[in-house]
Amino acid sequence: MIDEMLQALLRALSFGTPLLLACLGTLVNERAGVVNLGVEGMMALGALTAFSVATETESLWLAVALSLVAGALAALLHGFVTLTLRANAYVSGLALTMLGLGVSGLLGNRYEGAILLEPAPELPFTVAAGVLAVGLWAFLYATRPGLVLRSVGENPAAADVLGVSVGGVRYLAVAFGGALAGLAGAFLSLAYRPAWTDGMTAGLGWIAVALVIFVGWSPLRAVLGSLFFGLLYYLQFRLQDQSRVPTELFAAMPYLLVVGVLALAGLRRTQGSAPAALGKPYHRGER
Amino acid sequence: MKSPALWLVLLALSLAGSARAEDAKLKACFVYVGPVGDIGWSHAHDEARKLTMKALPWLETQYVESVPEGQALPVIDRLVKGGCQVVFTTSFGFMDQTLEAARKYPKVVFAHATGFKRAPNMATYMADFYQIYYLNGLMAGALTKTGKVGYVGAFPIPELKRHISAFAMGVRAVNPQATVNVKWISAWVSPVKAREAAEALMAEGNDVLAFTEDTATVVQVAGRKKVPSFAHYSPMQRFAPDFVVSGQLVHWEKIYIDFLSKVRNGTYAPGKLQEVDYWWLLREGAVEMGGQPGVPINPKFVDALKKAQMTVGGKQVSVHDRVQELLKDMSSSKPGFDPFTGPLQDRHGATRVPAGKTLTKEELNQMQWVAPGVTGPVADEPK
């Protein structure tokens, strides 16, 4: 029994790692008021970048570093389209997902079926994700830049009056979110399943997006949330034919929980803990 | 030859000749359900397409990858408009839409892989692995110490039920108490799901793994935990050189070359395909046993398989010899052994194949029951 639980916890930790990384990134850019539904695409780009760099240079460090850059660059594209060109952020995010999946499939063609002979260990990624979660919590709630970031997501007009560059903060936050999505992708292709297959992100980005809402934009709860979602994911296979509960329910659970959380927030007639200006473009002089 | 008229005639003739050569190109198009790089199903079809191109100089091909199962028709529309004379659709889920397309374009030749519906201009074809799954099952049965063999399945369609059953019958022929425990991932390509399913199986004590889905994840995950596994579809031994025991390899090009050559010479044409149903096995060379070409059994496992004994017709033989003997038999022009020969019961005890009967390919193609020893939920199973 103890063994079983330990095993399940280990799986939750492993599967929860990319979820936590992508969730923390998304959480930061949403804290700054920007919605980015491109997580899945950025993750795919990060995964391909990491895999191709690791294959060509045999340097895992470089692979990880460039996956951060790839994710950030993709996110900056989203930033440019939504913050500078003022296009609809939801449409832009969806486009980024499709673009990321398409581009990674196309450019990844030459690595199809390739294996990483010296895969990265999973543990450093997991530890980094945990440390990052605590660090982000401290950053958001105990530092001045963290306060600035939150104020941009809550009340950009007020922040602007106080001399904060709303656009600048949002660009930074979006780039950070993209970098972490890229890192989540790197975890997948370097450690979790050290091989390249088109479509290897398999919807994880979307679970991360849902997870952000579920954990109420809190980095610490994100740790628990990603463990919980990771556990559910594992259990859908572990409990197949072993419980009366249909395992499809476990697969659908992340989404059902998010719907539940949103419905509860709606019932309480609040936005839940969503940043007040989330998804609302800010243009100086317009109200 | 001084007359310019003669030159003109010669020129005209040569142009006509080359124009005829152009016309004579046959354009065959392929609709794949997965990405060509899935190193599983679609990849194998695409490798076969390339080999067929090499073998048939008059052939021109085109393919569309990652076509969702509900969206074959618009893709076929586009391909036919683009001049495809032969269209191969390579997923079970494309069956009805291929039939619809065959009715819509009566002059185009269609061939659908893994299905059972045909039309005057639509053939069916399959390179099937059930014999090899049985042989892999024998080896899995010999190698499992816990008596639990894990199996990651994509979807509970007849093809997988047939393969899992053949595999389980092989396992039980060596180890009558063993079980084949199936986890479904409801996806052809999802390394993430395949990994967690494999992890769950290992957590439950399964010490040998096999699978039917389109990635090498199971082999790779099992190899990391030093668990022996069987590859599926593509050469996957390199993913875990010390732990891939054997597996199945496909040679779709054998079918494609034969089929297209017969289209070319007029044997197959619209109106003549109602009865054309390829069901190619070891005998035709459409499939091969092994985790990489030319290596039916990984040498690392030969000793263990030679030591393992099983009873065949009251005599003790080594599993290794039995596998080799059956492989030779089933690869011969007149195979004497078929795993689906009665008396066979399903896992609920109902007789499915009476003594002395062997399942026909139609029955195998529509198989909904699974063999004893298979555990796990199986959808559409007759009670």
Side-chain angles (χ1 to χ4, degrees):
Chain A
M1 192 63 202
I2 299 286
D3 257 20
E4 283 283 303
M5 282 161 69
L6 194 67
Q7 170 75 21
L9 185 69
L10 283 176
R11 293 314 319 148
L13 271 173
S14 168
F15 188 78
T17 298
L19 287 182
L20 181 56
L21 287 171
C23 172
L24 289 174
T26 310
L27 192 151
V28 166
N29 67 242
E30 294 202 352
R31 276 288 185 179
V34 187
V35 171
N36 186 355
L37 298 182
V39 185
E40 179 87 8
M42 299 187 293
M43 219 189 239
L45 288 173
L48 175 65
T49 306
F51 188 82
S52 57
V53 172
T55 307
E56 303 298 343
T57 68
E58 292 177 14
S59 163
L60 291 175
W61 288 107
L62 194 62
V64 168
L66 290 184
S67 74
L68 290 165
V69 173
L73 285 178
L76 284 175
L77 182 68
H78 175 72
F80 179 70
V81 169
T82 57
L83 299 175
T84 303
L85 301 183
R86 302 180 179 188
N88 184 309
Y90 294 92
V91 176
S92 164
L94 287 174
L96 182 57
T97 284
M98 287 188 257
L99 183 75
L101 290 175
V103 167
S104 65
L106 185 69
L107 299 182
N109 225 337
R110 53 186 298 227
Y111 296 109
E112 288 295 359
I115 330 158
L116 210 54
L117 289 174
E118 293 194 18
E122 291 182 2
L123 191 64
F125 285 92
T126 309
V127 172
V131 170
L132 206 58
V134 177
L136 275 178
W137 171 77
F139 169 79
L140 284 175
Y141 297 103
T143 70
R144 192 171 160 76
L147 182 67
V148 168
L149 180 81
R150 283 190 292 140
S151 68
V152 166
E154 296 290 344
N155 193 339
D160 195 7
V161 168
L162 289 173
V164 172
S165 161
V166 172
V169 169
R170 288 188 165 177
Y171 258 109
L172 273 178
V174 167
F176 180 79
L180 284 198
L183 182 62
F187 170 81
L188 288 178
S189 67
L190 296 181
Y192 183 80
R193 207 239 148 178
W196 176 256
T197 307
D198 188 14
M200 66 182 295
T201 48
L204 245 64
W206 291 109
I207 300 187
V209 169
L211 187 60
V212 176
I213 304 165
F214 180 69
V215 301
W217 292 267
S218 151
L220 288 187
R221 266 185 280 167
V223 177
L224 295 177
S226 57
L227 273 179
F228 181 57
F229 278 26
L231 190 65
L232 286 176
Y233 201 87
Y234 172 70
L235 286 182
Q236 68 173 300
F237 300 110
R238 180 65 185 80
L239 294 184
Q240 215 174 76
D241 201 38
Q242 314 233 334
S243 78
R244 283 165 186 275
V245 187
T247 54
E248 286 79 1
L249 196 64
F250 288 93
M253 200 80 93
Y255 307 103
L256 294 177
L257 287 172
V258 169
V259 170
V261 168
L262 289 179
L264 276 178
L267 282 176
R268 278 189 270 132
R269 289 172 185 277
T270 65
Q271 283 286 307
S273 34
L278 179 59
K280 293 177 190 148
Y282 174 72
H283 311 303
R284 179 177 279 180
E286 292 172 17
R287 274 291 164 104
Chain B
M1 283 207 254
K2 280 177 188 169
S3 150
L6 189 59
W7 281 111
L8 274 177
V9 168
L10 280 174
L11 183 67
L13 277 176
S14 69
L15 279 178
S18 68
R20 224 180 20 240
E22 276 304 310
D23 285 346
K25 277 247 172 195
L26 182 72
K27 188 168 179 188
C29 300
F30 296 75
V31 182
Y32 302 137
V33 70
V36 292
D38 61 11
I39 75 150
W41 181 265
S42 297
H43 179 72
H45 279 279
D46 203 54
E47 289 298 302
R49 179 186 65 85
K50 290 180 200 157
L51 289 170
T52 310
M53 288 270 285
K54 255 186 212 154
L56 308 176
W58 38 262
L59 185 70
E60 196 184 334
T61 66
Q62 188 186 340
Y63 69 84
V64 185
E65 61 183 327
S66 299
V67 176
E69 296 207 318
Q71 286 171 31
L73 201 53
V75 171
I76 296 172
D77 282 340
R78 210 173 74 220
L79 290 173
V80 171
K81 278 200 190 88
C84 297
Q85 296 148 281
V86 182
V87 177
F88 294 103
T89 52
T90 65
S91 182
F92 184 77
F94 292 151
M95 182 165 66
D96 289 329
Q97 295 205 347
T98 309
L99 193 64
E100 215 178 316
R103 290 191 182 128
K104 198 167 160 189
Y105 304 106
K107 290 193 172 138
V108 176
V109 168
F110 289 89
H112 174 240
T114 76
F116 51 83
K117 293 184 184 170
R118 279 182 295 282
N121 59 331
M122 175 181 167
T124 46
Y125 65 102
M126 179 67 175
D128 199 75
F129 285 147
Y130 77 90
Q131 299 165 315
I132 303 178
Y133 267 102
Y134 180 82
L135 299 177
N136 283 179
L138 293 175
M139 293 186 265
L143 293 172
T144 177
K145 292 186 180 78
T146 56
K148 289 165 101 176
V149 179
Y151 197 106
V152 177
F155 295 98
I157 57 172
E159 180 194 337
L160 267 77
K161 292 181 178 181
R162 172 169 79 241
H163 292 167
I164 292 167
S165 294
F167 185 71
M169 290 188 315
V171 168
R172 286 214 159 183
V174 174
N175 189 339
Q177 304 303 318
T179 54
V180 173
N181 309 300
V182 187
K183 301 273 187 202
W184 302 102
I185 61 170
S186 306
W188 287 112
V189 180
S190 176
V192 192
K193 288 182 167 181
R195 163 135 194 218
E196 296 307 324
E199 295 278 359
L201 284 165
M202 290 188 285
E204 286 167 23
N206 294 281
D207 63 351
V208 178
L209 295 186
F211 69 98
T212 309
E213 47 95 18
D214 289 348
T215 74
T217 313
V218 173
V219 161
Q220 206 178 11
V221 173
R224 274 178 152 190
K225 297 220 164 152
K226 305 194 187 311
V227 166
S229 65
F230 291 85
H232 175 65
Y233 246 94
S234 296
M236 292 181 183
Q237 196 158 311
R238 63 203 168 92
F239 280 76
D242 294 343
F243 297 100
V244 171
V245 185
S246 181
Q248 314 90 38
L249 296 164
V250 74
H251 295 288
W252 288 107
E253 67 277 7
K254 300 268 183 189
I255 293 179
Y256 287 138
I257 291 170
D258 185 85
F259 189 88
L260 289 167
S261 302
K262 285 179 177 158
V263 171
R264 166 91 169 172
N265 70 22
T267 313
Y268 293 160
K272 297 179 179 173
L273 299 179
Q274 188 76 53
E275 301 304 325
V276 174
D277 179 21
Y278 282 68
W279 176 256
W280 279 16
L281 308 167
L282 278 169
R283 183 176 61 182
E284 291 84 4
V287 294
E288 179 185 346
M289 188 176 90
Q292 68 182 50
V295 186
I297 301 174
N298 186 340
K300 310 227 175 214
F301 290 93
V302 167
D303 279 346
L305 293 171
K306 278 188 173 156
K307 271 185 205 130
Q309 298 285 310
M310 64 184 288
T311 317
V312 180
K315 272 189 225 151
Q316 287 285 100
V317 292
S318 90
V319 172
H320 180 267
D321 294 352
R322 178 69 174 160
V323 169
Q324 295 289 15
E325 180 203 329
L326 290 181
L327 181 61
K328 203 175 152 201
D329 171 72
M330 292 191 285
S331 306
S332 70
S333 57
K334 278 204 169 174
F337 179 86
D338 191 299
F340 286 107
T341 302
L344 293 180
Q345 295 180 326
D346 67 18
R347 65 170 174 173
H348 300 299
T351 298
R352 290 293 162 189
V353 189
K357 285 253 161 40
T358 300
L359 285 188
T360 63
K361 73 183 172 194
E362 284 74 25
E363 287 167 326
L364 286 171
N365 258 328
Q366 292 173 39
M367 189 170 152
Q368 293 294 3
W369 56 277
V370 291
V374 177
T375 75
V378 177
D380 301 324
E381 191 183 8
K383 286 285 177 248

